[in-house]
Amino acid sequence: MVKCENLVHIPRVPTMLGGPPLKLSRVSNFHFYPYIFQHFSFLFSQIINLPCPLLQPSSLPPPPMDTSVTLTRCSTATLVRISTRPSVTCIIQINHHPTTNTPPHTSKPPKIKPISKSLPELTTVSPPQLNPFQKLAASALDFVERSLNVLENDQKRSHQVDPAVQLMGNFAPVPECPVHHGLEVIGEIPNDLNGFYLRNGANPMFKPTGGHHLFDGDGMIHAVKLGPKNKASYCSRFTRTSRLKQELSLGRPYFPKPIGELHGHLGLARLALFYARGVAGLLDTAHGIGVANAGLVYFNGRLLAMSEDDLPYSINIKRDGDLATDGRFDYDGQVNCPLIAHPKVDPVTGELFSLSYDVLKKPYLKFFSFEKNGKKSREVSISLNQPTMIHDFAITQSHIVIPDHQVVFKLSEMVQGKSPVLLDPNKVSRYGILPKSVKNESSIQWIDVPDCFCYHLWNAWEEVDVKGDQIIVVIGSRMTPPDAIFNEINFDLLRSELTEIRLNRTTGQSTQRVLVSGINLDAGNVNKKLLGRKTGYVYLAIVEPWPKCNGMAKVDLETGVVSKLFYGNGRFGGEPCFIPVEGSDKEDEGYIMSYVRDEATERSELVIVEASSMKEIGIVRLTGRVPYGFHGTFVSTHDLAN
């Protein structure tokens, strides 16, 4: 049973930058991200002339005195399972503990003081200077927005877009936390674990005025710096996106929420409103609309924060453990379109590979590759019959593997009052195999993989079978039903099962095999030194009860044995991050870490696990609350020095 508390008004800027954490609770979705409306101007030019009763003056209510959403006491929501899942075979229960079970050594916690202050950008942003025409336009458009909010708030929202549900518990936003050194450490930080663990997540700066989904929040990175002799520091910082800085100057949210607001007739009206503000010069859309809240990758000396609705943002990792946003990164002028949040870095060549999908105009998909020095080496358009959600992909030593799933975009559905993202029951999932050295799309090979929706792919490699056929093996988490994360469903019906997909390039056929059944495994990684090569292990979150993660799992891909570590009663984490030991030839010699929240004691920690034994060896107690979030990475001091 999830306990709902009094929900408080999410503060404006000054409070978000300091003060106690918000007391909220939340039951909603997990580690997945919004369907994206890139290139808004094209769509607006098509819809601005559509007749819409919501925009007729006669249909608008009088201007209300206060149209903001007030979050009040909500009813309790149940997450108790109503059915029993089949047990998982070949399970090794390694460290199931109701309470923290770590080595007895405890470093003496010194007095913790912040060594840096909140960055001034968030408190000194001046409002824009408007001419008389812009002031008149702003007033009129603000009235339209208030009216839309009244119409929307009068309707019953699904849990997927209800801010009172989406911003509950440890999914509620937190203020920035300046750097704190001298954190308490229970157990040991391994001497060879030196660097920064960084994890991205959604953290709305402002109280939602309409619908809101977890994936709609502003990007915030939580960073722990680990050093010798059990030294640890922590900080959290917003990524200063163009969107966030503009909303800070205006004092409230102005950009539409991709999931929470852009659906049905009201979604069309909000798109038109957004377009009109851009035309009037009230908003700048030329420098990006994204929130940079999903993924993180370290490439060519840069930490990049990403979401699928924009270019990445470059983040400066400072020596004192702090973070600062350098700005929107277009690969030195080489890219002018959004990129997905799951690029891949080849551990041997140092190249980075990425995709860009477009929901409005052809080509619906592009493939990019960059040399290790950041120079773009390829940009290849790929033909798709319809715009498709492609959240992730995989690489092998010589190929790119691109999924073309059944979840598609049909913006015409909004005109009919529906969501533009849906499951196409007539479409057959397929995977495209593209050589890394491709010059155009003519060399791509498509292989059908029916009824296979993998939101995340963990690894892929090349093999030759006993018949001499060329095989590409893909490891991913297969989700059923495919559109579960975008529609209101009973979470007990959702499955995310680790699956092996074999693509036979010789025969053009495919097979699928569930590796672990009866348990939801998602959000994780493999040893990054072996990405694109055959791996024996994958490290994943145990998403139980969905959408929370009550532990982590190490899966032996050869035997199917699952080694599990549970965080304990009332303790939940997120994506486990595997960090290999430098110079080791043993694949599982390294450490796994994840932020963990104890919901009973209201304490956030960084848990460090020895990967080979799956035993907890250390805990870093953090000074601030770390909400449940998305994807992370580890950047070693060696990488930073180079």
Side-chain angles (χ1 to χ4, degrees):
M1 184 72 69
V2 175
K3 185 177 181 180
C4 293
E5 307 162 356
N6 280 328
L7 302 183
V8 301
H9 178 93
I10 297 179
R12 293 174 69 100
V13 181
T15 307
M16 285 296 292
L17 295 175
L22 304 178
K23 296 290 185 178
L24 299 166
S25 301
R26 180 255 184 198
V27 180
S28 185
N29 231 325
F30 175 53
H31 293 281
F32 309 101
Y33 315 108
Y35 52 85
I36 305 303
F37 291 88
Q38 310 121 319
H39 317 297
F40 277 127
S41 58
F42 175 84
L43 176 61
F44 295 137
S45 65
Q46 304 299 312
I47 68 171
I48 194 68
N49 294 319
L50 287 176
C52 181
L54 298 177
L55 296 180
Q56 301 303 316
S58 60
S59 66
L60 295 175
M65 294 299 293
D66 183 6
T67 60
S68 63
V69 177
T70 302
L71 303 181
T72 55
R73 180 179 295 275
C74 64
S75 60
T76 56
T78 303
L79 280 183
V80 178
R81 301 217 171 252
I82 59 175
S83 61
T84 304
R85 293 190 177 185
S87 60
V88 181
T89 58
C90 302
I91 298 283
I92 300 178
Q93 186 98 355
I94 296 295
N95 193 15
H96 192 320
H97 52 81
T99 58
T100 303
N101 183 15
T102 54
H105 173 77
T106 302
S107 62
K108 183 179 179 180
K111 294 182 179 180
I112 301 174
K113 296 182 179 180
I115 67 165
S116 64
K117 299 179 181 180
S118 298
L119 298 185
E121 301 166 45
L122 291 182
T123 56
T124 60
V125 178
S126 300
Q129 299 298 315
L130 305 180
N131 61 40
F133 168 78
Q134 289 176 316
K135 291 180 180 179
L136 179 63
S139 178
L141 294 173
D142 286 350
F143 168 69
V144 173
E145 182 181 22
R146 290 194 300 268
S147 302
L148 292 176
N149 290 339
V150 171
L151 290 172
E152 183 174 343
N153 294 331
D154 285 343
Q155 299 177 2
K156 182 180 180 180
R157 292 192 181 99
S158 70
H159 284 181
Q160 298 283 55
V161 296
D162 186 349
V165 176
Q166 293 291 300
L167 298 176
M168 293 169 61
N170 198 43
F171 289 89
V174 294
E176 283 191 325
C177 179
V179 181
H180 286 77
H181 278 279
L183 302 183
E184 179 184 2
V185 176
I186 300 175
E188 295 285 347
I189 299 174
N191 291 329
D192 51 359
L193 194 58
N194 294 309
F196 289 78
Y197 171 59
L198 308 114
R199 199 222 62 203
N200 212 345
N203 196 83
M205 169 64 75
F206 295 99
K207 182 186 78 169
T209 57
H212 181 88
H213 189 278
L214 172 65
F215 307 152
D216 291 332
D218 299 295
M220 175 178 276
I221 300 174
H222 299 262
V224 170
K225 181 182 180 181
L226 302 173
K229 299 181 180 179
N230 274 9
K231 291 182 179 179
S233 67
Y234 165 76
C235 81
S236 62
R237 293 295 187 186
F238 280 102
T239 297
R240 271 71 170 169
T241 62
S242 173
R243 173 186 184 131
L244 177 60
K245 289 192 291 186
Q246 289 185 70
E247 291 186 337
L248 283 167
S249 70
L250 296 165
R252 65 183 182 89
Y254 268 75
F255 287 75
K257 306 292 180 63
I259 295 184
E261 295 178 340
L262 298 186
H263 46 83
H265 296 137
L266 283 172
L268 288 174
R270 289 189 182 279
L271 287 174
L273 176 67
F274 179 67
Y275 177 67
R277 281 174 168 155
V279 170
L282 303 176
L283 288 177
D284 173 18
T285 62
H287 296 89
I289 59 172
V291 289
N293 66 11
L296 294 171
V297 68
Y298 191 75
F299 171 67
N300 189 29
R302 294 178 184 269
L303 177 67
L304 300 178
M306 303 161 291
S307 59
E308 297 173 12
D309 49 359
D310 206 342
L311 287 165
Y313 277 78
S314 178
I315 307 299
N316 182 11
I317 304 175
K318 297 187 175 183
R319 292 182 179 273
D320 65 358
D322 208 348
L323 305 173
T325 305
D326 288 333
R328 192 166 176 253
F329 184 61
D330 61 1
Y331 290 86
D332 298 323
Q334 300 177 98
V335 182
N336 61 359
C337 59
L339 298 174
I340 69 170
H342 287 288
K344 310 297 178 187
V345 177
D346 189 299
V348 176
T349 67
E351 295 173 285
L352 181 140
F353 304 92
S354 191
L355 300 175
S356 173
Y357 67 82
D358 196 307
V359 304
L360 298 175
K361 64 183 190 306
K362 295 182 178 181
Y364 294 130
L365 183 65
K366 287 183 178 181
F367 161 66
F368 290 86
S369 65
F370 301 87
E371 298 175 6
K372 65 179 181 179
N373 61 5
K375 181 182 178 181
K376 184 175 71 174
S377 53
R378 288 170 188 83
E379 178 178 340
V380 178
S381 298
I382 299 174
S383 299
L384 299 177
N385 293 329
Q386 56 186 323
T388 301
M389 172 170 287
I390 302 177
H391 178 72
D392 200 358
F393 71 108
I395 64 171
T396 70
Q397 185 171 347
S398 304
H399 293 85
I400 307 295
V401 183
I402 302 172
D404 181 17
H405 291 315
Q406 313 104 302
V407 178
V408 301
F409 300 95
K410 289 187 178 179
L411 300 187
S412 58
E413 296 291 303
M414 296 178 71
V415 180
Q416 302 177 32
K418 300 178 183 178
S419 171
V421 59
L422 70 158
L423 173 67
D424 185 348
N426 298 318
K427 182 178 180 180
V428 177
S429 287
R430 59 179 185 167
Y431 282 69
I433 303 170
L434 193 68
K436 285 182 176 178
S437 58
V438 63
K439 295 183 179 180
N440 56 62
E441 67 171 326
S442 62
S443 57
I444 193 169
Q445 179 185 13
W446 291 104
I447 297 178
D448 288 349
V449 187
D451 301 320
C452 182
F453 178 80
C454 291
Y455 207 77
H456 291 115
L457 300 176
W458 310 120
N459 200 17
W461 61 84
E462 299 153 8
E463 288 184 357
V464 178
D465 69 6
V466 293
K467 298 179 182 180
D469 291 353
Q470 299 291 322
I471 307 295
I472 288 186
V473 180
V474 182
I475 306 297
S477 291
R478 178 185 171 190
M479 180 174 292
T480 54
D483 58 343
I485 59 176
F486 303 105
N487 292 298
E488 191 94 3
I489 70 161
N490 184 338
F491 284 142
D492 291 307
L493 303 178
L494 191 153
R495 296 290 181 269
S496 183
E497 297 178 312
L498 188 65
T499 301
E500 178 191 82
I501 304 160
R502 299 182 69 86
L503 306 173
N504 191 316
R505 298 179 56 220
T506 304
T507 66
Q509 309 219 333
S510 69
T511 61
Q512 302 176 53
R513 178 171 67 96
V514 175
L515 298 175
V516 180
S517 63
I519 181 174
N520 286 327
L521 296 176
D522 211 310
N525 44 59
V526 298
N527 186 328
K528 64 181 180 181
K529 295 192 299 183
L530 297 174
L531 189 68
R533 283 75 181 168
K534 185 173 182 178
T535 46
Y537 302 99
V538 60
Y539 309 91
L540 300 168
I542 303 172
V543 195
E544 302 280 353
W546 193 283
K548 294 184 178 181
C549 306
N550 66 357
M552 62 176 69
K554 170 187 174 184
V555 181
D556 188 319
L557 298 176
E558 291 286 343
T559 66
V561 171
V562 182
S563 304
K564 300 191 293 184
L565 180 142
F566 293 95
Y567 300 127
N569 294 336
R571 292 166 56 85
F572 302 95
E575 175 191 72
C577 179
F578 176 81
I579 302 98
V581 171
E582 290 295 329
S584 175
D585 294 329
K586 188 177 179 182
E587 181 182 338
D588 65 344
E589 186 172 359
Y591 309 99
I592 314 170
M593 55 183 63
S594 176
Y595 291 127
V596 172
R597 178 68 173 175
D598 190 318
E599 297 187 349
T601 63
E602 297 186 345
R603 174 181 292 158
S604 292
E605 303 167 338
L606 176 66
V607 171
I608 304 172
V609 174
E610 185 181 65
S612 58
S613 64
M614 287 297 288
K615 292 183 179 179
E616 191 176 273
I617 58 175
I619 288 177
V620 180
R621 292 197 165 157
L622 307 178
T623 54
R625 179 170 65 84
V626 180
Y628 303 130
F630 302 142
H631 302 288
T633 190
F634 187 84
V635 181
S636 69
T637 53
H638 178 266
D639 290 336
L640 289 173
N642 292 335

